[in-house]
């Protein structure tokens, strides 16, 4: 199914259940083993198959059947009618720095606006400096928190005991 306009010359489509394992297979390489074995386990658990079954209409996969080049898993909040949420994004290291991540975000912002959303949220791990830089560049504000990690405001225990997060917000 290729119903979407290409991004930087690459085909784009909605992900589906068959994309689950191919996406899981790239995570460790793409995240450069960030956080060691525990980081690897947490990332895999953040992308259960349900994301590829129930969140597909607001998500994007760049690539074809043979190669995943980039993906964005996001959704329109069912509980907060003004908000949408970017859950996970990744770009093949070989394709980074060319605007693909930004283009995927712009696609998601457009989808959010079309559906009446005025706020986009996302979170990331405090150790993921690249993610913080990228989100800041994309116009997200890092929300104030009661704790700091290397100068960044942190939400302690956000995702459970010991699982601190940076919380990003962008007004569309
Ligand atoms: C973060 C990520 C998605 C960015 O994708 P990308 O295609 O390289 O990003 P773009 O080329 O569209 O960059 C957009 C802007 O963000 C900046 N940016 C992106 N990654 C950056 C980094 N690691 N450090 C500093 N700035 C960065 C770019 O310089 C660019 O700014 P510019 O327009 O001023 O040049 C990609 O690096 C990635 O997959 N990282 C590993 C996974 C991850 O951490 N995901 C986010 C947390 S879930």
């Amino acid at each position: 199914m290729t119903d979407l306009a290409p991004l930087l010359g690459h085909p784009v489509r909605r992900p589906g259940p068959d994309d689950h394992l191919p996406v899981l297979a790239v995570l460790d390489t793409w995240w450069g083993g960030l956080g060691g074995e525990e980081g690897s386990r947490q990332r895999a658990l953040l992308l259960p198959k349900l994301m590829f079954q129930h969140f597909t209409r607001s998500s994007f996969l760049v690539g074809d059947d043979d190669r995943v080049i980039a993906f964005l898993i996001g959704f329109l909040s069912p509980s907060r009618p003004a908000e949408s949420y970017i859950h996970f994004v990744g770009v093949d290291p070989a394709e980074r720095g060319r605007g693909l991540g930004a283009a995927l975000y712009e696609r998601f912002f457009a989808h959010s606006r079309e559906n009446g959303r005025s706020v986009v949220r996302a979170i990331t791990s405090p150790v993921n400096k690249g993610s913080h830089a990228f989100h800041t560049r994309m116009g997200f504000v890092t929300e104030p928190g009661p704790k700091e990690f290397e100068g960044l405001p942190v939400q302690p225990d956000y995702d459970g005991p010991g699982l601190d997060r940076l919380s990003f917000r962008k007004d569309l």
Side-chain angles (χ1 to χ4, degrees):
M1 185 175 64
T2 50
D3 57 332
L4 303 172
L7 277 182
L8 302 175
H10 298 300
V12 184
R13 59 184 169 79
R14 307 292 184 195
D18 289 347
D19 296 306
H20 181 224
L21 292 182
V23 167
L24 284 189
V26 301
L27 293 187
D28 280 343
T29 318
W30 288 17
W31 264 253
L34 190 70
E37 273 184 30
E38 181 55 21
S40 171
R41 200 180 68 87
Q42 281 182 30
R43 276 189 294 280
L45 289 174
L46 281 169
L47 281 181
K49 192 187 276 291
L50 69 89
M51 294 288 170
F52 296 80
Q53 294 168 322
H54 299 284
F55 293 78
T56 61
R57 289 191 63 79
S58 51
S59 299
F60 304 96
L61 188 130
V62 182
D64 52 33
D65 290 343
D66 297 327
R67 184 185 167 207
V68 181
I69 295 173
F71 65 89
L72 183 155
I73 305 291
F75 56 89
L76 304 171
S77 172
S79 316
R80 300 181 182 185
E83 298 190 10
S84 61
Y85 189 92
I86 296 175
H87 176 64
F88 226 86
V89 63
V91 173
D92 184 331
E95 305 286 342
R96 287 183 194 164
R98 299 177 187 174
L100 204 43
L104 271 175
Y105 265 51
E106 292 298 342
R107 274 275 162 99
F108 185 80
F109 296 161
H111 177 73
S112 299
R113 284 191 195 95
E114 284 161 14
N115 287 277
R117 310 296 161 133
S118 54
V119 174
V120 185
R121 290 186 179 278
I123 61 166
T124 203
S125 162
V127 297
N128 194 340
K129 299 294 180 197
S131 175
H132 177 260
F134 171 70
H135 282 91
T136 302
R137 183 66 189 82
M138 294 308 300
F140 285 81
V141 170
T142 307
E143 296 191 292
K147 192 175 160 185
E148 273 202 1
F149 177 79
E150 297 183 359
L152 298 176
V154 164
Q155 315 296 324
D157 302 325
Y158 182 92
D159 261 343
L163 301 177
D164 297 355
R165 297 289 181 256
L166 305 179
S167 173
F168 301 126
R169 173 195 171 116
K170 178 183 167 80
D171 292 326
L172 292 176

